[in-house]
Amino acid sequence: MAGVVVPGTARPAWRIDTGALACSGVLALVAFGVVYPVLLVVLQSFQTALPGQPARLGLDGWRAALGEPALRSSLWNTLTVTVARQLITLPLAVFVAWLLARTDLPGRRGIEFAFWAAFFLPPLTVTLSWILLLDPEYGLVNAALATVPVVGARLGKGPFDIYSFWGIVWIHVITGSLTVKVILLTPAFRKMNAAFEEASRVAGAGTLRTALRITVPVMAPVILSVLLLGTMVSLQTFEVEQVLGTPFRFFVFSTTIYDLLVTRVPRYDAATALAVLVLAATLPLIVAQQWAMRGRRYTTVTGQFQSRVHALGAWRWPALAFALALVAIVLGVPVVFALLGTFMKLFGFFNVPEPWTLDNWRTVLSDDLFASSLRNTVILALGTAVAAVLLHSLIAYIAVRTRYAGRRLLDFISWLPFTVPGVILGLALLWLFLGTPFLRPLYGTTAALIVAGLISGMPLGVQIIKSGLMQLGGELEEASRIAGASWWTTYRRIVLRLMAPTLMAVGMITFVGAARNIANVALLSTTANRPLAILQLDYIAQKKLEEAVVIASIIMLISLAGALVAYVLGVRGNVG
């Protein structure tokens, strides 16, 4: 590794560059795990033969993807939901991150943890909770508002409908869209050197001008990366649209692809053609992000780093009230109503006689599949988190800190898993495992699910670590080298210590992502390696919503415990 990180070091032509060889090995490994499955998806889009029949190439899948009105409408629906989510959440997340990291907001550490905890809530759990409140027939909020004379007389029912376009957008805003931006932007804002803002104020600039001329440009790479990640994730969302969109025939990319795959005769050609369209729509975003960041420096943590917060003055308590209201919406309501749902005899119906029971918990906890699924989930989540921290940090380090010739290609490849919808990526990985002799024994094991989680979480993990590395000044590592430390000693004692909060964040995000992952592992799961998320899906398929909510709550509690451990061990003590 040292052979590619020391700038200006001339080496004899005959000497083997071990650093370049190691980087090439990483590039080859990542390309095999990411590019090969993507190529399988592209090739399958031209395969028109039915399953089990001899291969036949054609354009039937592409004609269906481009010509059928239902498929075209799914493209438009995906675009409108994505734009609405980003327009609402990006400015809100930047404001919240600024409050948490750059001001003297009371209780900001606890509020930051609350956003972490909210991010870890499974989207399906949050959706079921808000159905209890905003269902047009029995939702508690609608039922309460319908009793208001003005509302009841005018509408005859409550004003909200969770089964609508804005119902879907609302669920997305209060789940991953807002919370992930806040937890990604806050550490980055905190690492920003206060000397920049102080210099601006000394020069006579006000708070707004300082924010626009100093804070936003310095934070541009992080904000751009977060926006790009959010847009890509928006193109793949599945659970929320499947639950809320299906009742009023609202389909997006992922739910349309799912419908094509679960029909009596799966239409793999049309599903993969649609997936290739998603890929084509996403690639320009990756190129634009890399072009925007090329040749610019965003270092904010140096040997002269200063940390100072801005006094809010009279706005301190209104800002606290605003932050607490957000916490109540994104965390309090889902947790309370998810737990409430587990004790209901009939999910959603509060007006039946004796509506509460413990039978749902007894049924789930006495199910033999529950114990094995819980064990599989813990192994899957821990294994994926450890592997992700190791591999994703290595990829990010090569991309940011070395002069390896293939570093830009490696960075580009690390984005590709986000360009393929989760269901299709899981199908491609199934083809990869079954079609590669030395990988075939992994099918049906937890290791296969760990590989799927490692690949699907690669874009987020690598980009988070990259953003952190780009903010670290190179002079700290140079000083260590001048003092005689080796590359490994410098990496261990300088880079890893400064990056500990970021690596902890990546580990926990991956842990929770693996514990609740459905789309990527559904086709790779068997009875032997079934995790809780798939067991929850089985209950939903059997129309056992009460038991499904119990599983969702257990996943939620595991996630919240993991968030608390990560916060206590790493984030709280090291950030800032």
Side-chain angles (χ1 to χ4, degrees), residues 15-65:
R15 185 173 179 178
I16 297 176
D17 192 331
T18 55
L21 279 178
C23 293
S24 298
V26 174
L27 175 60
L29 178 66
V30 174
F32 178 74
V34 176
V35 177
Y36 185 40
V38 172
L39 288 177
L40 290 177
V41 172
V42 176
L43 291 175
Q44 184 63 40
S45 69
F46 297 99
Q47 168 62 267
T48 60
L50 296 176
Q53 295 185 358
R56 185 177 70 250
L57 299 181
L59 296 174
D60 292 353
W62 285 92
R63 292 192 187 96

Side-chain angles (χ1 to χ4, degrees), residues 86-236:
Q86 303 310 316
L87 284 178
I88 295 172
T89 56
L90 185 64
L92 183 58
V94 170
F95 178 64
V96 173
W98 177 77
L99 281 177
L100 297 177
R102 309 301 296 177
T103 73
D104 60 347
L105 181 74
R108 55 189 180 277
R109 293 289 188 182
I111 295 171
E112 182 181 357
F113 171 71
F115 275 94
W116 271 75
F119 168 73
F120 293 151
L121 297 179
L124 197 53
T125 305
V126 178
T127 304
L128 294 174
S129 302
W130 280 93
I131 287 176
L132 290 177
L133 292 172
L134 301 180
D135 184 280
E137 301 298 329
Y138 58 74
L140 288 179
V141 173
N142 279 324
L145 291 176
T147 61
V148 177
V150 176
V151 177
R154 182 181 176 187
L155 301 176
K157 60 178 184 179
F160 302 112
D161 186 358
I162 193 72
Y163 301 101
S164 65
F165 172 83
W166 288 110
I168 291 173
V169 171
W170 170 253
I171 295 298
H172 281 306
V173 166
I174 63 173
T175 53
S177 287
L178 175 62
T179 55
V180 72
K181 289 182 177 67
V182 171
I183 67 173
L184 293 179
L185 289 174
T186 301
F189 271 74
R190 188 173 288 120
K191 286 180 180 177
M192 182 179 168
N193 196 338
F196 303 143
E197 293 167 313
E198 277 302 312
S200 175
R201 292 193 185 97
V202 170
T207 301
L208 180 60
R209 188 176 180 185
T210 299
L212 295 178
R213 300 293 296 273
I214 302 296
T215 307
V216 172
V218 170
M219 300 305 301
V222 180
I223 295 174
L224 186 59
S225 293
V226 170
L227 175 62
L228 185 57
L229 286 170
T231 303
M232 289 182 176
V233 172
S234 299
L235 296 175
Q236 301 187 41

Side-chain angles (χ1 to χ4, degrees), residues 359-414:
D359 288 347
N360 303 325
W361 285 89
R362 294 192 187 100
T363 302
V364 170
L365 296 179
S366 62
D367 190 341
D368 293 337
L369 284 176
F370 170 74
S372 61
S373 298
L374 178 61
R375 183 179 63 253
N376 292 335
T377 300
V378 173
I379 296 173
L380 168 65
L382 287 175
T384 308
V386 172
V389 168
L390 295 175
L391 180 62
H392 297 170
S393 63
L394 191 58
I395 295 172
Y397 191 87
I398 294 173
V400 174
R401 282 292 200 261
T402 75
R403 296 185 176 181
Y404 173 58
R407 64 187 185 281
R408 294 186 188 281
L409 177 61
L410 179 62
D411 185 28
F412 183 83
I413 291 175
S414 71

